[in-house]
Amino acid sequence: MNTDNTLLSTLGIEVIHASKDYVEATMPVDERTKQPFGLLHGGASVALAETVASLGGFLSIDQEQEICVGLEINANHIKGKRDGVVTAVGKPIHKGKKTAIWEVTIVDEKDDLICISRCTLAILPKK
């Protein structure tokens, strides 16, 4: 997967594992991903979560006939993070013909929960 000149490269997101049932990715907590008060930006966490969910959704569909796009995402930011790395793990909780729902947990190096997110994906026919 070429991530050059994408949001993934801008935020430093690295995919560790990707399959139709499990996706894991990391993201640094640094000047690219912090808000002005020095904490991990909630939007960066959401971008990481949607990246993980979308990749898993993409790997779950018939890529010759279908596309997969984000339809809705929510996130609960549980704990602040000032530096280091966060890891997102996504797993499907629903795989339908027209929608999929992925749950993504984001943790720090100590396995403390930083954010939990749920992303609904629309599965559409290619035009």
Side-chain angles (χ1 to χ4, degrees):
M1 172 174 48
N2 182 4
T3 62
D4 294 345
N5 300 312
T6 67
L7 184 65
L8 280 76
S9 65
T10 300
L11 297 180
I13 295 171
E14 292 186 32
V15 177
I16 305 303
H17 176 85
S19 71
K20 65 181 184 171
D21 295 313
Y22 178 87
V23 178
E24 181 176 344
T26 61
M27 182 177 68
V29 179
D30 62 18
E31 68 282 349
R32 298 171 290 178
T33 59
K34 289 182 186 180
Q35 38 94 312
F37 302 107
L39 295 169
L40 175 62
H41 195 293
S45 294
V46 171
L48 175 60
E50 187 159 352
T51 296
V52 165
S54 294
L55 180 54
F58 173 75
L59 294 172
S60 299
I61 62 172
D62 177 353
Q63 297 164 18
E64 298 293 321
Q65 302 293 320
E66 300 170 313
I67 63 169
C68 182
V69 297
L71 185 63
E72 190 272 340
I73 189 164
N74 68 48
N76 296 103
H77 306 292
I78 309 299
K79 183 177 180 184
K81 179 90 173 127
R82 292 193 176 276
D83 53 30
V85 175
V86 291
T87 300
V89 170
K91 296 178 183 175
I93 54 177
H94 165 73
K95 286 185 180 182
K97 292 183 182 188
K98 296 188 179 190
T99 61
I101 302 171
W102 280 68
E103 184 172 80
V104 180
T105 57
I106 301 174
V107 299
D108 66 9
E109 301 91 340
K110 298 177 190 172
D111 212 29
D112 288 341
L113 184 62
I114 302 298
C115 178
I116 186 140
S117 179
R118 183 174 287 181
C119 184
T120 303
L121 305 169
I123 301 166
L124 306 170
K126 269 190 177 177
K127 292 186 181 185

